[in-house]
Amino acid sequence: MNKHISALFALIMGALLMTSCLKSDDSSDIIYYNDTAITAFSLSTVNRYIHTTSKSGKDSVYKKVLANPVTFYIDHYNKTIYNADSLYADCDLQHVLASINTQSNGVIAIKSMISDTLRTYSSTDSLDFSKPREIRVYANDGSTYRAYQVIVNKHQAVTGKLLWEQMPAGSYPVDEEKLRWEQLVAEKGLARFIGAGTKEAYAYNQVGELMVSTDEGDTWTVDEIDDAVSLLPKESVAFVSCPFAANSQTDYQILAGVSQEGEIASCVWRKVAEYGEGSETGKWALLPVESYNSYYLPATGELSLVWFHRQVLAITGSWIRSSKDGGITWKTSDDLQLPADDLISVEACTDEQGALWLKDKNSDLVWRGILVEE
């Protein structure tokens, strides 16, 4: 306790003496304030230590310096300071630089993590925020102080890896829009709803032709394709509509599935659908499986396609494959794995927050997946 009182006395007296020394003979009287608060808090520098593995399997670590990485919120009522957006899991929180501003030139002190000892804050001193810790700001007349608990949140998972959390049965998101389209398609006498993008919806008619509607399903016409109707997918049909990076008024759409028995590769079709004024929408094009492309999409008994973190994921009960080139190549990754090994029949989707959901149709088990990016 004596150490605490001594440190506090030295801190306040030091601030007062400093102010007194700066006073010139012809200046007005100095005003000492009896109120203060922390008005801004940020981490000016944080180090990341990123683990990588080379093609030869050699592990290495490199440092990346982050400046002002996240926004901090100050809750004056509860006297807490925290970041809602977590830092990367590989950030070093034991050696960070902080920038702190106060009201009325308050004097900032950092409380020790193991005792009541206080030390004066400096923006150039390394601080340890690996655990919540107390920061005090003293009024410059020495009469009072405010104590804030600073909590620096960081992800507990390694970045770049898909992480699954098992959710309660029945929590799988219900796609009300899909249900509406399925009912409308059935009322129009069409055979099967395929999917919908921003402005266009697609369905098969009774003879297997691909139909399109641009008026919310009131009318349907045969859509243009650049190859034979027989090569359209008939089984394990999956569809996804993705934003097109080059134009905000364009969808990049993929249709995949099995068109003929005995195929080892799924057929993959793509369409660039433009909706801007004066633009002409494209037609469906079949992406050929070249003999040198070993990263084709395998034929499977069941398939889901989802847009997830700027890539298309193809998901079955056996594997997850990703395509970052619009459906030309499909690759597996150690970072994109299913939550269980014994899945057979699954369904996948994403929610409005961008999380990936998976449901095992045989057991009704549900998982929610997130991927923390670099």
Side-chain angles (χ1 to χ4, degrees), residues 174-339:
V174 177
D175 191 341
E176 300 288 351
E177 188 68 6
K178 180 181 178 183
L179 294 176
R180 183 184 72 85
W181 275 111
E182 288 175 341
Q183 181 178 354
L184 189 152
V185 163
E187 291 172 354
K188 292 292 183 178
L190 298 172
R192 177 176 184 172
F193 173 63
I194 299 300
T198 304
K199 298 290 185 180
E200 294 184 352
Y202 308 97
Y204 282 148
N205 64 15
Q206 298 296 339
V207 295
E209 294 174 308
L210 184 58
M211 310 295 287
V212 61
S213 175
T214 59
D215 56 7
E216 290 296 313
D218 287 341
T219 60
W220 295 82
T221 58
V222 178
D223 207 0
E224 287 190 87
I225 62 175
D226 73 350
D227 219 309
V229 173
S230 61
L231 295 178
L232 289 170
K234 298 178 178 65
E235 303 294 336
S236 306
V237 179
F239 169 90
V240 65
S241 181
C242 318
F244 192 58
N247 190 336
S248 61
Q249 299 188 71
T250 303
D251 290 342
Y252 189 96
Q253 298 168 336
I254 296 177
L255 173 63
V258 179
S259 61
Q260 299 176 16
E261 283 190 38
E263 288 182 325
I264 64 169
S266 293
C267 57
V268 179
W269 294 74
R270 68 110 175 102
K271 180 181 182 180
V272 179
E274 299 184 62
Y275 309 123
E277 185 177 351
S279 62
E280 293 185 8
T281 192
K283 61 182 178 179
W284 287 98
L286 178 62
L287 300 179
V289 179
E290 306 291 352
S291 59
Y292 56 81
N293 179 14
S294 59
Y295 297 110
Y296 58 84
L297 183 62
T300 178
E302 196 166 38
L303 180 68
S304 293
L305 295 179
V306 295
W307 174 250
F308 183 66
H309 285 257
R310 299 182 300 279
Q311 60 190 321
V312 178
L313 299 186
I315 302 176
T316 73
S318 302
W319 42 256
I320 298 176
R321 281 174 162 80
S322 71
S323 178
K324 299 180 181 180
D325 55 11
I328 298 172
T329 59
W330 301 86
K331 299 179 180 180
T332 59
S333 167
D334 289 339
D335 293 329
L336 297 172
Q337 296 293 322
L338 293 167

Side-chain angles (χ1 to χ4, degrees), residues 126-147:
S126 176
L127 296 173
D128 183 354
F129 284 111
S130 58
K131 297 179 180 179
R133 67 181 308 177
E134 184 177 306
I135 293 183
R136 297 184 182 183
V137 53
Y138 288 86
N140 61 19
D141 70 351
S143 63
T144 187
Y145 71 85
R146 282 174 177 258

Side-chain angles (χ1 to χ4, degrees), residues 88-102:
Y88 300 107
D90 46 21
C91 285
D92 176 15
L93 297 187
Q94 292 183 310
H95 309 89
V96 303
L97 299 182
S99 175
I100 310 174
N101 296 333
T102 65

